[in-house]
Each structure stands twice: as structure tokens, then as C-alpha cells.
Amino acid sequence: MQIIHIPAFNDNYIWLIKEANSNDCVVVDPGDAAPVEQRLKDIGGQLSAILITHHHADHIGGVERLLASYPQARVYAPKNAKYSFEHQVVDEASIITPEGLNSPFSVIEVPGHTLDHIAYLSEGHLFIGDTLFSAGCGRLFEGSAEQMHQSLSKIKKLSPETLVYAAHEYTQANLQFALAAEPDNVELHRYQQQVSKLRQMGLPSLPTSLNQQLAINPFLRCDNANIKAAVELEELQPLNNEIAVFAGLRSWKDRY
């Protein structure tokens, strides 16, 4: 598979997936139709399918316009939300092969950011929407800290070689907070320098590897003694389990 990032709005990424010798293209979370249409024109592509991770407008806002231009495209979307466009419902038990691709995708339910949130995994490529970011995770708009922690625990069990395709370029801001939570993490400092160079060249910081995130992302490291101590100091109380540490960390990030 070839995977191309399409910038949208201020910091969104829409991911375009295609086979090397095919004009058929699949896009993930097209919040805006215009940049997708332009990229399809640039590469001579035809839209064959759309994958939706959750219902927020910056992830689905371009779907109806794209379907008007490409009525043959099939939309896959999570079951726990209502959508105005025709779509095929998918859930944790689903394995799909989007039109135009040869590789199957498994669906992972990852509630927390929203209750309907899902991710799509194929051949070591994880399209995670707003559940996991590089050095961060999504805000808890609908779900609980326990739900998000459980969702991230699912992700942690995947192969460390998995490449993570998040939907926002939040990495530099997330790294500032991560360093506040774990200032002595040498790998975190190294990664910050790497990301800074990429962004200075106008390149995306994504995808990132799960292995990299396990080393630097505080929301995947709530079992780490240094992070636990930092969150306890911020909360001014002892925290007795990983979910409590995660909840305190997420609350700290919201205020940061």
C-alpha cells in the first residue's frame, strides 16, 4: 500500500491509501472535501472508499461532497453514531477489504475521545483518528478516563513495529507537555529534536511507530514510576492505580 498525507484545516491529516499500480484510492476521515479532490486530481485517482473513525465534523465534513462527486465510493463508519450519509456499519468484529485495495482491515473499538471511536488496522498500519497522537492522546469529550485507558491498552498490545497514523499534527505541542511530565526521559529529548527537524523542513511528524510511542508517550506510560510521581505532585495526592494516574495526567494536559 501507498499512504499519502493530505493536510486539511489548520492541523488535520486526511490519509489517502492506494495500491501501487491502481488508480483506486481510499481516504480516512475526510473532514474537508477540497484537498482530497485536489490530491485525487493530482495523482489521477478515483475515490473508491471512505473510512470513518468517529463522528466529529473535522473528520466527516467532506463526506457528502465527495459522495456527490464519487457516488460509487462506499463509506465505512462505526456503529455507535448516526450519520446523514449512507454507510456500512463496522465494529470490533468486522474485517473489511475496502474497495480498490487488496489488503483486509480489522476494526478496533477504541472509545474515550468519543463513544463511537474506532481504528482500522491493516498490515501493520494503524489509522487511529483522535485516540492516540504522537506523544499524546485525545481529549475525553464523551468517554471516561477508564475507557480511554482501556482503549490505549489495546493499542499497546499490537506489534511494536505498527505504524500509527493519527489525524492531527499535534506532536510538538504534545512533546512540550510530555517533557513536563517526564523531563529526564533521554529518548523523549532525542525525539523532540527529530520532530523539530522534520517540521522545519515542512514534513509531517507522522506516521510514528508504536515502539517509539511506548518510549516517549506519557499516556502509554502510566505504569512508569517517574510519571506517576509527577502526576501525584501535580494532583497533590497519592494515586493508587494506572487509571488514576491516566486520569490525572489527562486532566493536567487539559490545563497545560
Side-chain angles (χ1 to χ4, degrees), residues 75-95:
V75 182
Y76 298 88
K79 66 178 182 180
N80 295 325
K82 295 181 179 179
Y83 298 93
S84 60
F85 43 82
E86 186 175 345
H87 62 283
Q88 179 174 326
V89 172
V90 294
D91 59 21
E92 183 95 7
S94 300
I95 297 177

Side-chain angles (χ1 to χ4, degrees), residues 52-57 59-60 78 81-83 114-116 142:
I52 300 297
T53 64
H54 66 293
H55 64 266
H56 283 165
H59 294 254
I60 67 170
K82 295 181 179 179
Y83 298 93
T114 65
L115 294 177
D116 67 316
E142 296 175 7

Side-chain angles (χ1 to χ4, degrees), residues 28-240:
V28 184
D29 287 347
D32 189 2
V36 175
E37 292 171 335
Q38 184 60 54
R39 186 58 61 92
L40 289 170
K41 180 180 178 181
D42 292 343
I43 65 175
Q46 293 290 323
L47 185 64
S48 58
I50 298 171
L51 307 181
I52 300 297
T53 64
H54 66 293
H55 64 266
H56 283 165
D58 63 323
H59 294 254
I60 67 170
V63 172
E64 291 188 348
R65 175 171 155 180
L66 288 171
L67 290 176
S69 299
Y70 300 93
Q72 77 284 356
R74 178 175 293 188
V75 182
Y76 298 88
K79 66 178 182 180
N80 295 325
K82 295 181 179 179
Y83 298 93
S84 60
F85 43 82
E86 186 175 345
H87 62 283
Q88 179 174 326
V89 172
V90 294
D91 59 21
E92 183 95 7
S94 300
I95 297 177
I96 61 171
T97 302
E99 287 71 11
L101 300 181
N102 298 322
S103 303
F105 285 65
S106 56
V107 175
I108 306 172
E109 292 180 358
V110 284
H113 180 66
T114 65
L115 294 177
D116 67 316
H117 208 302
I118 60 176
Y120 298 88
L121 175 67
S122 180
E123 296 185 344
H125 302 280
L126 180 68
F127 299 91
I128 192 66
D130 287 358
T131 295
L132 180 67
F133 301 122
S134 183
C137 76
R139 286 179 178 267
L140 304 179
F141 286 120
E142 296 175 7
S144 66
E146 183 175 4
Q147 284 176 312
M148 181 64 100
H149 182 265
Q150 290 174 346
S151 294
L152 294 178
S153 295
K154 282 186 183 180
I155 302 306
K156 288 174 67 173
K157 294 176 182 178
L158 299 177
S159 166
E161 304 306 314
T162 300
L163 293 178
V164 179
Y165 298 80
H168 289 275
E169 183 56 76
Y170 288 164
T171 308
Q172 287 182 301
N174 285 341
L175 284 168
Q176 292 177 7
F177 173 73
L179 284 164
E182 196 179 11
D184 295 329
N185 185 329
V186 175
E187 180 62 21
L188 191 52
H189 286 276
R190 187 201 65 78
Y191 184 62
Q192 185 186 44
Q193 293 176 353
Q194 176 185 332
V195 168
S196 179
K197 291 178 181 178
L198 288 171
R199 299 304 293 147
Q200 288 173 8
M201 293 187 290
L203 299 174
S205 65
L206 299 164
T208 178
S209 71
L210 181 57
N211 192 50
Q212 178 73 75
Q213 293 306 303
L214 291 170
I216 61 95
N217 191 324
F219 294 98
L220 299 180
R221 295 167 56 77
C222 291
D223 58 344
N224 179 274
N226 292 333
I227 291 177
K228 179 177 183 290
V231 179
E232 287 179 331
L233 184 61
E234 181 70 18
E235 295 286 296
L236 298 177
Q237 62 178 329
L239 301 171
N240 297 323

